[in-house]
Amino acid sequence: FANRIAGVAHQMDVAKVTLVALMDRPGVAAAVFRALATRHVHADLIVQNIGHEGRTDLSFTVAADDLDIALETIAAVRDEVGARDVTARTGLAKVSVVGSGLFSSLDHAATMFSALSELGVNIDIISTSGIRITCVIDGGHVEEAVRAVHAAFGLEGEDRWQSTA
Amino acid sequence: FANRIAGVAHQMDVAKVTLVALMDRPGVAAAVFRALATRHVHADLIVQNIGHEGRTDLSFTVAADDLDIALETIAAVRDEVGARDVTARTGLAKVSVVGSGLFSSLDHAATMFSALSELGVNIDIISTSGIRITCVIDGGHVEEAVRAVHAAFGLEGEDRWQSTA
Ligand SMILES: C[C@@H](O)[C@H](N)C(=O)O
Ligand SMILES: C[C@@H](O)[C@H](N)C(=O)O
């Protein structure tokens, strides 16, 4: 069954922080995450796409309860990394699909993204690593989204509420 | 040992494709990856950061051998998703750190990014999912980068050349 996956996980009460247009040069990502680690802030999804004209955005998610300290920490490194802005949003959710590793994951992304789009759910961030795909979406749609993703992979009726995405 | 990780993996001969400034609305990511799946193109790292003014960039990596067909496929969906440009680069590499899941991953990102920055290696893309962090870097520095990351996590002397990142 080409769509075989190991599972669907999700996390609610997710907040994201984005350092907008920071300098795309060595040491910048290190400075941001060293500062967060020093203040014991656990940034669990980190995403940075390619740069444009020497600048790029760097986003990370934290539990909603950690947002204040995350923003305080980022404010302290902002000048060092040259971020032109810092934005934040709460009330988000993460949904992840974990490939089984035994079956081709060729169409896992298509299946997952289609399930979300059919609900009209916009995908805010996509981050993947290894056989796992994580999408950040609006928290208001998470239950429906998780059900739809399960159904898209032929997993209705299985235990749907799993641990951290 | 707070830096305990399960391993460091890497992949060489990586090519990336970026759809620049495509429309940030439901269905766009689905359209891109359905097209790739239909042409049997395996996009293994997919990354999309937040949008600005209704637009965002969407990047993915493929094996260098698949770049031509990936670009052909993307050219066919480009108008549908409103991408203002499509860029591509070869000669890249991916380096991943896999957390052990048993130890806090609070400073894994800081440790990994610092190791790369100390070599002056610029991080082009960061993508994470679950306990795994993947960085896309220039392929010319991969051996040195993998050694430095191993060393940063106290893993010198262990088997360094592992399978796909
Ligand atoms: C933006 C950031 O990732 C930068 N390129 C670095 O290497 O640290
Ligand atoms: C950009 C793309 O991810 C879009 N937001 C979608 O939901 O498909």
Side-chain angles (χ1 to χ4, degrees), chain B residues 73-162:
Chain B
T73 307
I74 293 307
V77 295
R78 180 181 169 154
D79 290 346
E80 176 184 353
V81 299
R84 287 184 181 150
D85 196 10
V86 176
T87 62
R89 251 189 80 192
T90 51
L92 298 172
K94 291 192 292 175
V95 181
S96 293
V97 161
V98 187
S100 70
L102 299 170
F103 295 87
S104 162
S105 58
L106 187 56
D107 52 2
H108 287 173
T111 302
M112 181 187 195
F113 302 159
S114 296
L116 296 174
S117 78
E118 273 157 40
L119 289 180
V121 172
N122 196 50
I123 303 168
D124 190 33
I125 289 175
I126 299 169
S127 193
T128 54
S129 197
I131 53 172
R132 183 179 177 126
I133 305 170
T134 298
C135 289
V136 175
I137 61 170
D138 197 83
H141 307 287
V142 63
E143 266 190 63
E144 189 184 7
V146 171
R147 260 202 301 276
V149 172
H150 269 99
F153 285 98
L155 294 172
E156 291 98 325
E158 299 200 10
D159 175 33
R160 296 166 195 172
W161 292 104
Q162 299 189 29

Side-chain angles (χ1 to χ4, degrees), chain A residues 17 19 32 35-36 39 41 60 62 65-79 86 88:
Chain A
V17 176
L19 290 93
V32 172
L36 290 168
R39 314 246 1 227
V41 176
F60 60 92
V62 292
D65 290 348
D66 287 345
L67 183 58
D68 286 348
I69 177 147
L71 288 175
E72 238 175 83
T73 307
I74 293 308
V77 295
R78 179 179 169 157
D79 290 347
V86 176

